[in-house]
Every structure is written in structure tokens, then in C-alpha cells.
Amino acid sequence: MNWALFNTEIFYFCAAVVFLVLAMLRQTGHRTSYHTALFLAALGVVVCIGTLHLDGLLFLESYRIDLFSQVCKALLAMGLLLVVCLCSELEGVAAEWHNEFYMLLFTCTLAMMLLVSSVHMITIYVSLELSSYTLYVMVALRRDKVTGTKAALKYFLVGVVASAVMLFGLALLYAACGATYLTDLVRLLPPLLNRPLVMTALLLTLCGFFFKLAVFPFHFWAPDVYAGAPNQLAAYIATASKVAAIAILMRVTAVAGDATGFLVDSLVVVAIVSMTVGNLVALVQKDLKRLLAYSSIAHAGYVLIGILSLTPAGYSGALFYALALVVMKFTCFLVVIKVADDGRNIDLDQLAGLHRRAPLLAMALMLAVFGLAGIPPTVGFTAKLLVFNAAMQNGYLTLILIAMFNVVISLYYYLLIVKAAYLTEPAAEPAPMPVSGPVKGLVFALVGTMLVTGIAPHYLIELARRATRVLF
Amino acid sequence: MVPFGHVLILAGSLFLLGLFCAVTRRNLIMILLGVEIMLNATAIVFVGGSLLWQQMEGQAVTLFILAIAAAEVSVGLALIVSIYRRTGSVDPHQLVEYE
């Protein structure tokens, strides 16, 4: 067995062990933990990019390393690095739990990396559960214990029911085909797709991934968890966790092949309801994190449009969309975390006067929000264009029209954010908000990424295309 | 040998019972028990499928399910104890009202 293929995962495992040891020693200050985490996360990105072109199978062929999994791992590593960058003032978590928080963060990233490489029922289930359990515990680490634990409990209850339903679906699939490898299912499943047992099995299986991605009917945990979790963790759930969910959803739907009427129909329904519910409820939200939660439910709907095309174009569009979501959502959360300097939740009104307090943050927030709304020349527009274009080639005109209506609805609340930051006058004369040098650099890098990948996305589109080609 | 249809009927009804328990009960511990019943129903399908196809893979999956169910209960009970200490209640409806 070739252990070199497993380098990335081993690295993240060791990083988690480092924090386990630090947590048990109980002697490090939170600055030391922060710098260690930053160093390890940055090193992790280097390791991921270094292993980008590995290819092979591990553990009795239940674990596949290919370009698709490695690109997703690189995205996850970058998501982790960005989130760790924001942890310099980890005010939402009590100081004595910082090492535990980082340990769980690295373990969760490890689990998601395992997830995007899984091609066997056991590996999928185990890594999905590992990533969920670490998230439940991290949500409960919030300094305000009652809020945190309640959010964690809600997340946990929805999560375990969803994963039990998914596991029952997998069991029915096994009963129908006698295969546990995705590669075998690809071969055995298409002729059986019209049997009711297999239809139910596939739908139940998808429920677990719907929960991870926060789409209807498993979306209602998202607003409470975003509001109840420490702000940095909410950023992590909104970015890295979504990448993993999108990736595994692509791997699993690719199994069904292309001749699947009912699967596509049910995905269409789920996508439409998620978009509409997310956007309509977001209109009335006052809490900024809740608003972002509903917007991510809506975005999950747009991503599903790409996935339900079941074509290489749709899949590469969805992967590109995942990248765009990481950058845009992360920029929004960066502003939330900097404005809420003591780790509280903030309302839209509290953004008032942001353009005078911190012009750079206000500008970044505006660009990110325009990206989420899909306004050119940001990366959000390119992502939406790719996804809608792929669905258009399959002739889903009505679906695209409904999605376009949704984009128009979403424009309203995205512009409310911009209005709060730029036009609303604060009650008192605003104190200028200091933005440290590294944060400035980070903001410039994010803004640069949003604009450059929006204007010249060819390299990334080509990479997404090559990565998703291995799924077919 | 038991016909596979019977296995599916048993597992399906057990799964629905568990789901019903998880959705309707007003006690967090009973909800957790309901989820455990759902997982056991799944294990029955895997073992039955393993018999049907004459493979060991289904039984291997069942072992993993048992281990993960234990982990799940430990995380869940820890959360329940933590919330009980702070609010003195294990009723999910009261927790919502507590806000």
C-alpha cells in the first residue's frame, strides 16, 4: 500500500494530535495556540497543493485519490486557513477551550477531506459522521453556554435523524444491488432505477447530503446554528462544510448516470423550494448571521441546479460555484467578525456608518454581497452563469426562469446590507475601527480573488472541468 | 431461510417506529432512543442483505454502525447533560420557549 497517497490526511491528523497534546498540557496561552494553528493551516495548504496531481486507490479500493478529490481538499485547506486567520481574537470561545477548538477544527477538516475521497458506503458514512460530530461539539463551545448548547442540540437532533435516514437509504441500496462500492453501483444501478425500492433508497440516501448542504427539507437547522455558533465557526460551516457537501453530492449523483427521470425531478423540486424559501425568509431577517444562513440555503439551491444537470458542464459549474461561495461568504463573515469585536451577534443596523469607520471593510462587504447577488464582474456572476448555462443546455428553461426570479428577490436583501453599510447614518458619531496590517492584506487578497476570478476565470474553469471529468 | 421481503417489512416498520418516536416525543433522551431504533432497523437491512447476496460486506457495515451509534449517543448525552445543568429541562419545546 502506497502511504504517500495518504499524505494530506496524515498531515491533518498529526495537526489535530498536536492540539490534543497542547490541550492536555494546559500551559499554552491563546496567542501561542493561534500562531501554531496559523502555521499548521498554512503548511496544510502547501501540502494539499503539493499533492494535487496524485492518483490512486487505497484501503481495498474504498478510498479514491484523484484530481477531483485533491482539488476539493485544496479548497477545504484554504477554507480552514482563512477561518484560522480570523481566530486572532477568538472571543466567542472561552480562552481555556481554544486548543480544543483548534483540535476539533483540524479533525473536522480531516473528516471532510476523507469524505471527498470516499467511494465506499462505510468510508462515506464514517467520514460524514466524524465531520458532523466535531461540528456539534464546536457549536456547543460558544462562550454563552445556553445559546451555544441549544444551537448544538438542534443541529445534533436534525443531524442524527438525517444521517439515520441516509443510512437506511444506503442499506436499501445494498439490499437491492448487493454492492457497497460506488464503482460497482455505477455498473449495477442504472437498469434497476425504475424499481420503487431503488427509487426510495436513492432519495433517502440523498437526505444525509441535503442536511450537510442545508437544503430543503433539512434546512431549518442553519439559521439557529449560524446564530448560536461562535462567529468563526459559522464562517467555517458556511464555507468549508459546503464544499465537502457539494463534492460528495456530485460523487453520489454521478452514480445514477444520465437516464434518470425521477431523480432529476426530485432534485428540481428540492432546488426550487430551497431557493424560494431561503430568499423569501431572508427578506425579513434582522440578524446578519441569520440572513447569511438563509442566503446560503438559497445558494445551495443554485448549486443543485448545476448538479441536477448530471453533465460534466453542470458538475464543473457546481465546483466553480463552491469556490466562489468560499471566497464570498468568507468575506462577509470577515466583516461580521471584525464589527462584532467581542464575539456577539450583530444586527443589520449595527453596520451603520461602516464606510466611515472602516472604508476597506465596507468596500469588501459590498463586493462580496454583489458577488452573492450575482452582479458582474465578480466571481459570483461567473459561477451563476456557468451553472445556469449548463442547465440551459439540458433544456430546463422553467427552472432557470424560477432561479432568475429568485435572483431578483435576493437582490433586495443584499442591497439592504449595502445600504446599512453605506447610506444609514449611525445614531452617534462613529469611532474609527482599527484594521490591522495582516487583516488589510487578507482583505486585499480576497477582493483581488473575487475580481480576478470574476474577470478571467478561464484557468479555474479549466481546472474544475478537468477535476470533474474523472467522475464520469 | 426467511424471505427477504419479511426482513424488509420488519426493518421498515422498525424504522418508521423509530422516526415517529424521534419526531413526536417531548423528551430529548427518548428522541435519542428513537434514532437508535432507526439505526438498528438499518443494521437489520444490512444483515439481511448480506444473507441475500451471500457476502460478508453487509455484516462489516453493521459493525461500523454499532460503533458509530455509540459515539453518537456519547456526544448526544453530553449535550443533553450540559443543557439540563443550565436550564433544568430536557423538553425540546421548553428550550425553544427559553429564548
Side-chain angles (χ1 to χ4, degrees):
Chain A
M1 175 168 152
N2 186 3
W3 283 101
L5 289 176
F6 208 49
N7 269 342
T8 333
E9 289 80 355
I10 293 174
F11 174 81
Y12 277 89
F13 177 73
C14 293
V17 170
V18 167
F19 283 106
L20 182 66
V21 172
L22 285 181
M24 289 197 290
L25 291 178
R26 298 223 156 274
Q27 282 171 353
T28 46
H30 69 275
R31 296 306 297 175
T32 326
S33 330
Y34 167 64
H35 289 302
T36 321
L38 202 57
F39 173 71
L40 286 175
L43 200 60
V45 174
V46 176
V47 171
C48 278
I49 290 175
T51 54
L52 204 57
H53 289 286
L54 290 183
D55 197 73
L57 289 161
L58 284 177
F59 308 124
L60 300 173
E61 307 191 351
S62 66
Y63 193 81
R64 176 187 286 276
I65 314 277
D66 51 23
L67 188 62
F68 176 71
S69 75
Q70 297 311 96
V71 167
C72 292
K73 279 174 201 170
L75 262 180
L76 288 170
M78 282 175 209
L80 176 72
L81 175 63
L82 291 173
V83 170
V84 171
C85 285
L86 287 184
C87 289
S88 63
E89 291 100 22
L90 191 50
E91 290 293 335
V93 180
E96 69 260 35
W97 300 123
H98 281 191
N99 284 321
E100 279 85 347
F101 184 79
Y102 291 126
M103 183 199 88
L104 291 168
L105 210 53
F106 275 88
T107 315
C108 189
T109 313
L110 167 68
M112 287 172 183
M113 289 181 169
L114 294 173
L115 185 61
V116 296
S117 272
S118 304
V119 288
H120 186 275
M121 281 183 191
I122 294 181
T123 40
I124 290 177
Y125 180 59
V126 171
S127 46
L128 193 73
E129 294 302 277
L130 181 58
S131 70
S132 301
Y133 293 168
T134 43
L135 283 178
Y136 304 149
V137 179
M138 276 193 279
V139 174
L141 281 179
R142 176 101 185 221
R143 188 190 288 270
D144 172 10
K145 275 290 174 191
V146 176
T147 327
T149 317
K150 261 192 326 200
L153 210 51
K154 185 157 193 180
Y155 196 13
F156 174 78
L157 290 177
V158 182
V160 289
V161 171
S163 77
V165 171
M166 178 194 85
L167 195 61
F168 195 67
L170 286 177
L172 291 183
L173 268 188
Y174 175 65
C177 317
T180 46
Y181 288 95
L182 289 189
T183 34
D184 291 341
L185 287 175
V186 171
R187 194 164 41 78
L188 294 169
L189 210 52
L192 301 175
L193 268 174
N194 290 323
R195 287 171 53 189
L197 180 66
V198 178
M199 282 189 197
T200 342
L202 262 182
L203 280 188
L204 293 182
T205 305
L206 290 181
C207 286
F209 309 122
F210 288 166
F211 160 73
K212 269 279 172 212
L213 195 55
V215 295
F216 175 86
F218 289 101
H219 63 284
F220 40 85
W221 58 270
D224 292 294
V225 169
Y226 280 45
N231 292 347
Q232 283 83 354
L233 182 63
Y236 185 76
I237 298 177
T239 53
S241 153
K242 295 287 181 285
V243 173
I246 293 169
I248 189 66
L249 201 56
M250 282 198 254
R251 265 212 204 276
V252 173
T253 47
V255 165
D258 44 18
T260 47
F262 95 95
L263 183 69
V264 171
D265 290 345
S266 43
L267 283 176
V268 167
V269 172
V270 167
I272 290 176
V273 178
S274 303
M275 286 186 295
T276 318
V277 167
N279 281 327
L280 289 182
V281 184
L283 291 180
V284 295
Q285 295 304 316
K286 290 278 171 282
D287 185 318
L288 193 53
K289 279 203 290 178
R290 275 181 178 274
L291 193 151
L292 287 173
Y294 281 108
S295 118
S296 65
I297 295 172
H299 279 283
Y302 302 138
V303 172
L304 276 184
I305 295 179
I307 294 180
L308 64 85
S309 310
L310 297 176
T311 55
Y315 279 14
S316 58
L319 191 60
F320 189 86
Y321 208 116
L323 168 92
L325 272 183
V326 169
V327 182
M328 297 182 300
K329 272 276 149 58
F330 182 78
T331 314
C332 292
F333 272 100
L334 185 142
V335 177
V336 170
I337 289 165
K338 288 298 159 196
V339 174
D341 45 5
D342 55 355
R344 63 184 191 280
N345 290 356
I346 56 166
D347 285 345
L348 270 181
D349 311 336
Q350 282 165 293
L351 287 177
L354 185 68
H355 72 292
R356 270 193 276 159
R357 295 179 65 198
L360 186 63
L361 289 186
M363 190 265 293
L365 180 67
M366 181 176 74
L367 263 180
V369 162
F370 280 173
L372 287 173
I375 296 172
T378 54
V379 65
F381 169 75
T382 319
K384 278 206 177 63
L385 184 72
L386 286 175
V387 168
F388 290 175
N389 198 15
M392 204 57 196
Q393 284 167 4
N394 282 25
Y396 301 131
L397 185 61
T398 331
L399 180 62
I400 303 294
L401 279 179
I402 297 174
M404 293 314 280
F405 272 123
N406 267 293
V407 171
V408 176
I409 297 172
S410 71
L411 212 54
Y412 173 75
Y413 62 84
Y414 288 133
L415 287 179
L416 275 187
I417 302 181
V418 177
K419 171 169 164 274
Y422 272 90
L423 299 177
T424 313
E425 285 304 319
E429 183 57 27
M433 210 165 69
V435 180
S436 65
V439 175
K440 266 187 196 153
L442 184 61
V443 172
F444 276 121
L446 285 167
V447 168
T449 317
M450 276 192 280
L451 288 178
V452 170
T453 47
I455 295 165
H458 312 293
Y459 174 71
L460 283 172
I461 293 176
E462 188 50 40
L463 186 66
R465 208 165 272 162
R466 285 212 333 256
T468 45
R469 200 175 293 146
V470 300
L471 291 176
F472 291 91
Chain B
M1 192 172 122
V2 185
F4 188 65
H6 295 191
V7 175
L8 275 188
I9 291 170
L10 170 70
S13 41
L14 207 55
F15 183 79
L16 288 180
L17 281 176
L19 188 62
F20 185 73
C21 173
V23 173
T24 58
R25 282 305 188 116
R26 296 193 54 174
N27 182 326
L28 289 172
I29 297 188
M30 295 311 277
I31 295 177
L32 209 55
L33 273 181
V35 175
E36 291 303 306
I37 294 175
M38 289 162 79
L39 287 179
N40 285 343
T42 313
I44 291 178
V45 180
F46 269 116
V47 173
S50 174
L51 191 65
L52 175 73
W53 296 101
Q54 297 290 318
Q55 302 167 340
M56 292 307 284
E57 273 176 301
Q59 304 202 10
V61 180
T62 311
L63 287 179
F64 276 87
I65 294 173
L66 292 179
I68 289 179
E72 176 191 300
V73 170
S74 61
V75 172
L77 284 180
L79 286 175
I80 292 173
V81 168
S82 161
I83 201 80
Y84 180 73
R85 276 198 194 144
R86 284 179 179 82
T87 64
S89 161
V90 286
D91 183 346
H93 294 257
Q94 274 186 12
L95 293 182
V96 175
E97 286 158 18
Y98 191 82
E99 273 167 15

